[in-house]
């Protein structure tokens, strides 16, 4: 079978197996076409999956000491950082029940030992190709085409997910809403292509302000962006907002024959202690309210809402 070239170029395969001989066999089959790394235990495997660059596909044994392949696969699938990496089980267990269990915990394929080299290569190439197509479709569905940050749909889904996660782990969550000041003036005087460039520049600055896998920046309206910061310490709020304002202040003014136009923005941040009685919409409204205060009181500034918690979340977060 011809393996599609784009599926094999530079792809990274991680082999997870407690038997060195098995790793060597698979590695020798694949090393000409792929960058192959391996882990002999699940702790090392977990770390490698969270390191950059991440593997593009994982080949995983099932019977391993401490934590078996089913458990590790479940953990990786439940984790937003590793969720999208396809996992193929390679196991001596050949019963239909074992296979079904593998698919139930999220594997994309299941191969029974002893493996046949040509079949293994073909299956890897197919899953890499399918995964690339899925990611491309996701980008179309979830990415703002101008600024390349997430769109409003992705923002809504991520906010729900992070809200649930912060509720479960009793972590504070911050929501920052950013709105460009007098953007209509820039568009009207300098044209929409300069306006578009301003939006892209601001998106880049906002993207640089997020550093953790659960955090995100999204364009949620014409000149409006929203950022989610999970497990966010309230004492970091002022520094975070000020550093964004400082970066925007460094953007040179846009000029034309009529004059100079300095790009500024206003921001409202809410910090919430999510619980089952509150709603992510409360966080959004609180941030929007303080953003409105900024707009009313002169723009080019930020405002923080009072940290919000219910009695239930206060007890959970501060016990
Ligand atoms: N260049 C460009 N402009 C856009 C885009 N989407 C929306 N806009 C413009 O963004 C401007 C938003 O203006 P408003 O929300 O009315 O507010 P503003 O002028 O920024 O004023 P304040 O928010 O009160 O500071 C409008 O002129 C829209 O036409 C886009 O994709 N590209």
């Amino acid at each position: 079978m011809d393996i599609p070239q784009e599926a094999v170029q530079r792809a990274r395969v991680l082999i997870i197996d407690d038997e060195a001989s098995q790793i060597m066999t698979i590695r020798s089959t694949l090393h000409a076409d792929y960058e192959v790394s391996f882990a002999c235990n699940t702790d090392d495997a977990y770390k490698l999956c969270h390191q950059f660059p991440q593997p593009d596909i994982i080949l995983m044994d099932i019977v391993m000491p401490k934590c078996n392949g089913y458990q590790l696969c479940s953990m990786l699938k439940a984790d937003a950082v590793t969720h999208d990496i396809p996992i193929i089980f390679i196991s001596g267990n050949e019963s239909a029940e074992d296979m079904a269990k593998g698919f139930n915990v999220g594997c994309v394929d299941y191969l029974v030992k002893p493996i046949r080299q040509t079949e293994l290569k073909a299956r890897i190439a197919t899953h890499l190709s399918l995964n690339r197509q899925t990611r491309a479709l996701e980008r179309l569905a979830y990415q703002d085409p101008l600024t390349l940050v997430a769109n409003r749909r992705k923002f809504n889904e991520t906010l729900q997910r992070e809200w649930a996660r912060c509720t479960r782990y009793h972590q504070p969550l911050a929501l920052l809403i950013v709105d460009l000041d007098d953007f209509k003036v820039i568009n009207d005087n300098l044209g929409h292509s300069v306006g578009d460039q301003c939006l892209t520049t601001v998106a880049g600055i906002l993207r640089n302000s997020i550093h953790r896998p659960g955090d995100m920046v999204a364009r949620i309206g014409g000149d409006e962006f929203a950022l989610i910061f999970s497990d966010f310490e309230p004492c970091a709020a002022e520094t975070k907002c000020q550093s964004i304002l400082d970066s925007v202040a460094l953007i040179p003014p846009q000029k034309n024959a009529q004059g100079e136009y300095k790009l500024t923005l206003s921001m409202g941040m809410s910090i919430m202690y999510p619980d089952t009685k509150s709603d992510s919409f409360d966080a959004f409204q609180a941030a929007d309210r303080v953003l409105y205060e900024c707009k009313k009181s002169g723009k080019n500034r930020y405002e923080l809402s009072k940290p919000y918690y219910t009695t239930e979340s206060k007890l959970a977060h501060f016990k």
Side-chain angles (χ1 to χ4, degrees):
M1 175 191 162
D2 282 340
I3 296 171
Q5 267 313 294
E6 104 292 347
V8 295
Q9 274 169 6
R10 316 286 310 153
R12 288 171 295 272
V13 180
L14 172 63
I15 307 167
I16 306 172
D17 201 307
D18 60 328
E19 274 183 48
S21 60
Q22 185 67 22
I23 290 175
M24 296 316 286
T25 307
I26 301 177
R27 190 175 175 280
S28 66
T29 304
L30 302 178
H31 83 277
D33 298 321
Y34 299 101
E35 282 180 36
V36 183
S37 58
F38 60 87
C40 301
N41 60 65
T42 49
D43 287 344
D44 288 349
Y46 188 82
K47 273 187 217 139
L48 283 175
C49 291
H50 285 80
Q51 272 171 19
F52 186 81
Q54 288 182 294
D56 296 298
I57 193 161
I58 297 171
L59 308 179
M60 192 186 292
D61 187 20
I62 292 178
V63 182
M64 290 185 282
K66 206 169 152 188
C67 159
N68 68 37
Y70 296 131
Q71 292 165 314
L72 180 59
C73 182
S74 297
M75 277 162 60
L76 296 174
K77 290 292 145 189
D79 185 333
V81 180
T82 52
H83 176 270
D84 292 336
I85 308 171
I87 296 173
I88 300 178
F89 278 128
I90 298 183
S91 172
N93 301 346
E94 56 185 329
S95 77
E97 287 73 23
D98 285 320
M99 288 189 180
K101 193 169 173 187
F103 286 104
N104 284 338
V105 294
C107 80
V108 292
D109 211 344
Y110 191 114
L111 285 173
V112 178
K113 293 177 190 170
I115 48 164
R116 291 176 291 205
Q117 296 191 0
T118 314
E119 181 184 355
L120 176 65
K121 284 183 177 184
R123 286 183 189 267
I124 291 174
T126 299
H127 288 297
L128 284 171
S129 176
L130 281 172
N131 195 252
R132 285 202 180 102
Q133 288 167 29
T134 307
R135 300 285 84 77
L137 284 174
E138 263 180 19
R139 272 196 296 282
L140 283 176
Y142 286 125
Q143 198 175 48
D144 171 48
L146 174 65
T147 60
L148 303 185
V149 298
N151 63 15
R152 186 163 197 135
R153 178 189 297 165
K154 180 75 177 168
F155 167 76
N156 288 338
E157 287 184 16
T158 306
L159 183 57
Q160 297 299 331
R161 191 193 69 217
E162 288 305 306
W163 190 267
R165 211 177 58 74
C166 288
T167 301
R168 192 159 59 246
Y169 295 111
H170 309 305
Q171 293 171 344
L173 178 145
L175 184 61
L176 179 67
I177 304 182
V178 176
D179 190 284
L180 274 58
D181 294 329
D182 303 316
F183 189 50
K184 191 169 177 328
V185 176
I186 291 188
N187 267 332
D188 290 350
N189 289 284
L190 298 157
H192 269 252
S193 62
V194 174
D196 284 357
Q197 185 52 51
C198 291
L199 289 168
T200 308
T201 305
V202 168
I205 289 172
L206 297 178
R207 208 190 282 114
N208 284 340
S209 75
I210 59 170
H211 304 292
R212 296 202 201 149
D215 297 349
M216 76 148 3
V217 52
R219 183 177 174 212
I220 59 167
D223 65 345
E224 200 174 25
F225 295 85
L227 290 85
I228 300 168
F229 299 99
S230 292
D231 192 13
F232 188 80
E233 285 308 321
C235 59
E238 304 252 356
T239 315
K240 179 65 78 182
C241 292
Q242 190 56 52
S243 79
I244 293 172
L245 283 187
D246 291 346
S247 299
V248 173
L250 294 175
I251 302 171
Q254 304 282 345
K255 297 178 187 170
N256 72 1
Q258 281 73 49
E260 263 192 15
Y261 302 88
K262 186 83 184 105
L263 182 65
T264 64
L265 44 81
S266 300
M267 302 187 288
M269 180 182 264
S270 63
I271 299 161
M272 314 288 282
Y273 292 83
D275 65 9
T276 51
K277 294 202 172 65
S278 52
D279 191 292
S280 59
F281 187 63
D282 299 333
F284 196 88
Q285 276 192 319
D288 210 31
R289 242 188 331 265
V290 287
L291 168 62
Y292 180 70
E293 294 303 320
C294 291
K295 291 282 184 184
K296 266 203 326 195
S297 58
K299 306 183 180 178
N300 192 21
R301 49 192 295 272
Y302 66 86
E303 191 79 53
L304 309 178
S305 80
K306 276 212 279 296
Y308 173 89
Y309 35 78
T310 62
T311 312
E312 183 195 311
S313 69
K314 192 172 180 180
L315 285 172
H317 285 282
F318 297 108
K319 72 182 173 197

